[in-house]
Amino acid sequence: MKIMVIGATGMAGSAVVAEALRRGHQVVAVARSTAKLAALGTNANLTTQVTDAFALTAADLTAVDAVVDAFATAPTKAYLHVDLAAHLVAQLRDTTTPRVAFILGAGSLFTGADHHLFVRDLEKDPHAADFIQVPQNQLKELNFLRDVDNVNWFGVSPAADFHPGEAVPALLGTNDLLVNAAKQSGTSTSTMAVTLLDELERPQHHQTRFTVADK
C-alpha cells in the first residue's frame, strides 16, 4: 500500500511513518521542514515531500492508496485542523481512493454519568487554557466530517493522555472516553499507529470515528 502521511515529522505522524515502513508499505512523508523530514532517516520505501498540506492537490492525493492526516499546529491556529479537513475533502469529493484517516482529539469523546463531552471538562481546567483551542477545533473537525458522505474517510481518537511511547495491547471503542483496568486513560503514539495501520489494512470503519486506548 502507498500511504501519504501529512504531518509526518510530528509526534503522531512520525509514529505512523515508522509503523507503516515496518510493515513494508510505501510511505510519502509530507511536512514543511526539510531538516525534520531528513530526521526520519532513510528507507527504500520512504519518499519525503516538502509541501504545505494546503498545497496538496487532487492529483497528489489520488496518487496514493491512503492519506493519514496527522497534522498538528500551534493552539492559536487550531482552526487549521478544520480548514485542512475541508481542503482534503474538497480535493477528494466523489472518490473512493484514497482512503483518508484523520487523527482526531479525545475532546470529542463522551464521559461521565451524564455522558458529556470530555472537552467540557478540559474547558473547566485552568491548566488546559494554553491548549484548549486544539480539542475544541478537533471537535469541530469531527462534526464537519460527519456530514461528508462522498469521501472514503474514517477518524481515530486517542484517550485523554496522548503521549509518545511504545505500542501496547489496545482497547477499542466508539464514542466514549476509554479507561483501562488501572483507571488510566492514555494512548501511546505507537499504539495509535498500530491501530491506524490495522484499520488501513483490514477496514472495519467507514465514514465514522472510533477510539483507541492503551490496555
Side-chain angles (χ1 to χ4, degrees), residues 5-19 21 27-31 33-44 46-49:
V5 181
I6 298 169
T9 61
M11 183 182 79
S14 58
V16 174
V17 169
E19 180 63 19
L21 291 173
V27 176
V28 179
V30 175
S33 168
T34 302
K36 289 181 179 180
L37 283 170
L40 293 175
T42 57
N43 186 295
L46 175 64
T47 301
T48 59
Q49 185 173 329

Side-chain angles (χ1 to χ4, degrees), residues 65-98:
D65 303 299
V67 174
V68 177
D69 179 0
F71 176 80
T73 190
T76 55
K77 294 189 176 181
Y79 57 84
L80 293 177
H81 286 282
V82 185
D83 290 354
L84 180 56
H87 173 73
L88 297 175
V89 166
Q91 299 302 309
L92 294 172
R93 290 287 190 185
D94 297 314
T95 63
T96 56
T97 303

Side-chain angles (χ1 to χ4, degrees), residues 20 39 63 83-84 86-87 105 119 131 157 169 180 183 188 211:
D83 290 354
L84 180 56
H87 173 73
V119 71
F131 65 84
S157 286
N180 64 19
K183 306 301 182 185
S188 73
T211 184

Side-chain angles (χ1 to χ4, degrees), residues 8 14 17 22 33 36 45 47 49 52-53 68 77 95 98 118 129 131 142-143 174 181 191 204 206 210:
S14 58
V17 169
R22 188 186 70 80
S33 168
K36 289 181 179 180
N45 284 334
T47 301
Q49 185 173 329
D52 187 311
V68 177
K77 294 189 176 181
T95 63
F118 179 54
F131 65 84
L142 174 60
N143 287 336
T174 51
T191 299
Q204 302 292 319
H206 178 62
F210 67 101

Side-chain angles (χ1 to χ4, degrees), residues 183-200:
K183 306 301 182 185
Q184 297 171 331
S185 181
T187 308
S188 73
T189 50
S190 293
T191 299
M192 170 63 76
V194 167
T195 301
L196 194 150
L197 265 295
D198 285 349
E199 175 64 26
L200 288 178

